[in-house]
Amino acid sequence: DLDLEPSEETVRVYSAVRDGQGLEELGRGPVSAGARPRSPRRILVVDLENLTGDADLGWVGRLAAERVAQGLSTLDDLEVVPPLAVGPVDAADSELAVPGLPPALAALAARTRVGTVVGGSYHLEDGDLRFQVRITDVTAGTLRPGPEPVGASRSAPVEGVERLREAVMTSLGPQLSTRSVHVREATRPPGMAAYRSYLDGLDLFI
């Protein structure tokens, strides 16, 4: 019952790229002098790197990026650049240097004008998949706290991707949402359901 169809946002971006419309807004065109400053709440999700040694598992990293981007796009206050909104980037195109980001990825962050980059990798451990997320604050050049590594059976990678999606939303949402100061100061929510319940309750008092 997993919804693995492309998100509406991804379809919108694909259509814009296909038709040649709105490319600057999507980060595909030149950055004008009046371009808005980066916000940590503008997020780019990139494919997870396949470190399994098995090329047949390469699709898992692309699916993980799509599902994480879909999940984050449902959270208030966050603006997510879908994976299809970006294309090949020459590192020489940007003077931006971000500690912890490869030059090409730093150039990609500059082109899309994002303040946060979500990436990572997955590998095999005792025969099972292990996902590790890396969340970079582009402006500060530091790593943000991320979720614990997520495991999954090699024969059921989609289940691992869904757990990863939930984990990233639970970890990053409270850090960046302007509505969840109390959660940030207290503790990491035990899960996405608890975080959404907190926001629903907060709405009753605001």
Side-chain angles (χ1 to χ4, degrees):
D1 295 332
L2 296 175
D3 176 17
L4 298 181
E5 293 299 320
S7 66
E8 292 182 5
E9 178 69 5
T10 296
V11 173
R12 183 187 70 80
V13 170
Y14 176 80
S15 299
V17 172
R18 180 196 60 199
D19 299 337
Q21 299 172 352
L23 298 185
E24 181 173 347
E25 175 61 24
L26 294 174
R28 293 292 301 272
V31 178
S32 64
R36 59 188 169 185
R38 291 186 186 87
S39 165
R41 288 184 289 278
R42 181 171 165 86
I43 303 169
L44 172 66
V45 183
V46 298
D47 293 359
L48 271 63
E49 184 180 4
N50 179 12
L51 300 180
T52 66
D54 184 352
D56 289 339
L57 292 173
W59 62 271
V60 175
R62 173 61 58 86
L63 177 63
E66 169 68 16
R67 293 299 290 159
V68 169
Q70 281 185 349
L72 291 175
S73 69
T74 68
L75 300 181
D76 292 338
D77 305 323
L78 302 186
E79 180 186 6
V80 181
V81 178
L84 281 179
V86 299
V89 173
D90 185 345
D93 289 344
S94 174
E95 297 179 355
L96 178 67
V98 180
L101 282 185
L105 190 50
L108 190 57
R111 169 181 286 185
T112 54
R113 302 189 295 280
V114 297
T116 300
V117 174
V118 178
S121 62
Y122 53 104
H123 63 277
L124 291 174
E125 188 172 305
D126 297 326
D128 290 330
L129 286 171
R130 193 81 165 170
F131 297 89
Q132 178 68 60
V133 169
R134 184 182 182 91
I135 304 173
T136 302
D137 184 324
V138 176
T139 302
T142 59
L143 289 178
R144 286 186 173 275
E148 296 296 322
V150 172
S153 169
R154 181 174 181 171
S155 62
V158 174
E159 294 180 7
V161 166
E162 292 305 304
R163 286 198 288 271
L164 181 72
R165 176 180 185 262
E166 171 91 4
V168 173
M169 291 171 65
T170 303
S171 174
L172 193 55
Q175 292 184 56
L176 297 181
S177 174
T178 58
R179 303 171 60 208
S180 54
V181 175
H182 297 92
V183 170
R184 290 200 302 270
E185 293 180 347
T187 184
R188 178 181 298 174
M192 201 60 220
Y195 177 52
R196 289 193 186 279
S197 294
Y198 162 79
L199 293 180
D200 289 342
L202 191 63
D203 286 337
L204 298 176
F205 297 95
I206 296 180

